[in-house]
Amino acid sequence: MLVAIVGGGQLGLMLAGAGEELGIRCRVLDPSPDAPAGRLAELIVGAYDDRDALGRLADGADVLTYEFENVPVEAARWVGELVRVEPAARALEVAQDRLAEKTMFENIGLAVPAFVSVDSVGELVRGLASIGVPAVLKTRRLGYDGKGQVVIRDALLAEDAWRSVGEVPCILEAFVGFERELSIIAARSTTGETVFYPLVENHHREGILRLTRAPAPGITDELRSAAESHASALMTELGYVGVLAIELFQTQEGLLGNEFAPRVHNSGHWSIEGAKTSQFENHLRAIVGMPLGPAAAVGSCAMLNIVGTTPDPAAIAAVPGAYLHLYGKEPRPGRKLGHVTILAEDASGLDESIAALSAAVEER
Ligand code: AMP
């Protein structure tokens, strides 16, 4: 079995790692000859929309998938003539445009922060009058890790905000005083079989995910079942095959949808050691049509991202229950270089390990 993956970053690396255990070979396409996934997968170096490279990627593959959502939709549609593509290009199309994404959330009954579409500074001024401040202006396309967005606290600064996001089509959202950020990861196979990972709690700094607690503490059955039915509805609406993540805000009124990723997700990295089946394995199982593995957590778990500077591996190894994953990337400020998964017997042991490891992985 051969799976082609557009993108050869750390997600591709971890997919290829899961593939080795399942007897699935992976081949990746990435513009960089140093792409992390090249350590475990055959690497084709080329642009994501290079038809010759896409043709070589697809050649002989059983299915093609992607590990990041900004694959040009045209390229995904074109390569879909050569090989089965999962998830289908429609999922990319919706996930790439915050307006389409929020509209789809509303259509499936997942509440979202109040929002308006903004295509000019005049529309921004009118949007601020209706939504109020604080509000968040986000570019419709190509935003990630907090990039392409600005919080507006004073309506008189609309023009500055419009310039700072590059005067491109945007949405303006109400700023939500959420209790915490959660995400849910689900997998759906070619047969429609679906499994859900437990809701996890996410902590960001400077727009970058730093810590995930899995399962999120204090989740009621009601919250869990609401999140699962939203994920299920979204996957049904998109005819989705593979792993998908929805980022949610927990508020006093319930869950609000922020965004979804049509791929394996950083808030699911804990599942390699912390769940009965990892998100990477279940993504491969889903797209090749194997039965899915159970997605339950094996205990209390956390994941810390390593950002900007590589920690001393010995300091990580000294913490019992800590598992280090380094992606082999050159250190650069703000760059995700690896992660640490921490397994603990109980919640208080987990807190101690998180505290011990936070110092070791601190960006210097
Ligand atoms: P995003 O790129 O949409 O995931 O946003 C990055 C981060 O900004 C989120 O994880 C939140 O912490 C914060 N954020 C985004 N949208 C809002 C909002 N409407 N209200 C409050 N915080 C937000």
Side-chain angles (χ1 to χ4, degrees), residues 141-187:
R141 296 181 174 279
L142 297 174
Y144 71 100
D145 283 353
K147 295 188 174 59
Q149 59 179 272
V150 59
V151 177
I152 305 177
R153 298 185 188 279
D154 179 348
L156 294 174
L157 299 177
E159 232 165 274
D160 290 353
W162 180 244
R163 268 198 300 273
S164 78
V165 296
E167 308 183 39
V168 293
C170 284
I171 63 167
L172 180 72
E173 274 178 32
F175 186 87
V176 179
F178 49 75
E179 292 171 349
R180 58 178 171 170
E181 294 189 67
L182 301 172
S183 59
I184 184 161
I185 291 179

Side-chain angles (χ1 to χ4, degrees), residues 118 120-131 155-156 158-159 172:
V118 165
S120 65
V121 72
E123 283 185 356
L124 176 56
V125 169
R126 284 193 291 283
L128 285 166
S130 69
I131 284 185
L156 294 174
E159 232 165 274
L172 180 72

Side-chain angles (χ1 to χ4, degrees), residues 28-317:
V28 303
L29 169 66
D30 198 280
S32 165
D34 302 320
R39 283 159 54 189
L40 293 183
E42 178 192 345
L43 170 64
I44 293 175
V45 179
Y48 301 125
D49 58 356
D50 174 341
R51 294 197 172 179
D52 173 59
L54 283 166
R56 282 185 286 133
L57 177 69
D59 185 32
D62 295 278
V63 57
L64 180 141
T65 189
Y66 19 78
E67 56 111 60
F68 81 125
E69 63 266 45
N70 287 321
V71 175
V73 173
E74 271 313 298
R77 291 233 157 86
W78 181 81
V79 80
E81 301 288 320
L82 309 176
V83 64
R84 183 165 61 87
V85 173
E86 306 284 12
R90 169 99 181 107
L92 282 181
E93 196 171 28
V94 177
Q96 284 176 6
D97 179 357
R98 290 186 190 272
L99 183 59
E101 185 178 48
K102 287 260 156 41
T103 306
M104 181 165 285
F105 282 170
E106 285 192 313
N107 290 343
I108 61 159
L110 170 56
V112 294
F115 71 94
V116 290
S117 164
V118 165
D119 287 336
S120 65
V121 72
E123 283 185 356
L124 176 56
V125 169
R126 284 193 291 283
L128 285 166
S130 69
I131 284 185
V133 288
V136 193
L137 183 66
K138 300 180 176 179
T139 60
R140 279 173 59 177
R141 296 181 174 279
L142 297 174
Y144 71 100
D145 283 353
K147 295 188 174 59
Q149 59 179 272
V150 59
V151 177
I152 305 177
R153 298 185 188 279
D154 179 348
L156 294 174
L157 299 177
E159 232 165 274
D160 290 353
W162 180 244
R163 268 198 300 273
S164 78
V165 296
E167 308 183 39
V168 293
C170 284
I171 63 167
L172 180 72
E173 274 178 32
F175 186 87
V176 179
F178 49 75
E179 292 171 349
R180 58 178 171 170
E181 294 189 67
L182 301 172
S183 59
I184 184 161
I185 291 179
R188 185 170 183 265
S189 83
T190 51
T191 64
E193 182 194 1
T194 303
V195 294
F196 302 98
Y197 286 86
L199 272 165
V200 300
E201 180 183 306
N202 299 318
H203 296 262
H204 296 84
R205 203 170 63 242
E206 289 149 6
I208 302 172
L209 180 68
R210 307 290 169 150
L211 167 69
T212 295
R213 278 173 194 270
I219 296 294
T220 59
D221 285 349
E222 192 188 354
L223 211 57
R224 181 185 51 76
S225 91
E228 289 182 2
S229 50
H230 292 315
S232 185
L234 181 60
M235 292 192 299
T236 304
E237 176 71 25
L238 291 168
Y240 198 88
V241 172
V243 159
L244 162 149
I246 310 183
E247 295 181 21
L248 301 156
F249 298 144
Q250 184 179 355
T251 71
Q252 278 180 344
E253 289 74 45
L255 294 173
L256 296 180
N258 179 33
E259 60 182 5
F260 79 92
R263 55 170 169 81
V264 288
H265 192 252
N266 196 173
S267 71
H269 290 4
W270 62 276
S271 64
I272 296 177
E273 292 89 7
K276 295 212 163 121
T277 314
S278 80
Q279 63 164 348
F280 304 99
E281 177 168 344
N282 264 338
H283 183 68
L284 293 177
R285 287 181 180 226
I287 62 174
V288 303
M290 284 185 198
L292 300 178
V298 296
S300 288
C301 180
M303 189 275 322
L304 282 167
N305 265 341
I306 297 168
V307 181
T309 41
T310 309
D312 172 12
I316 310 282

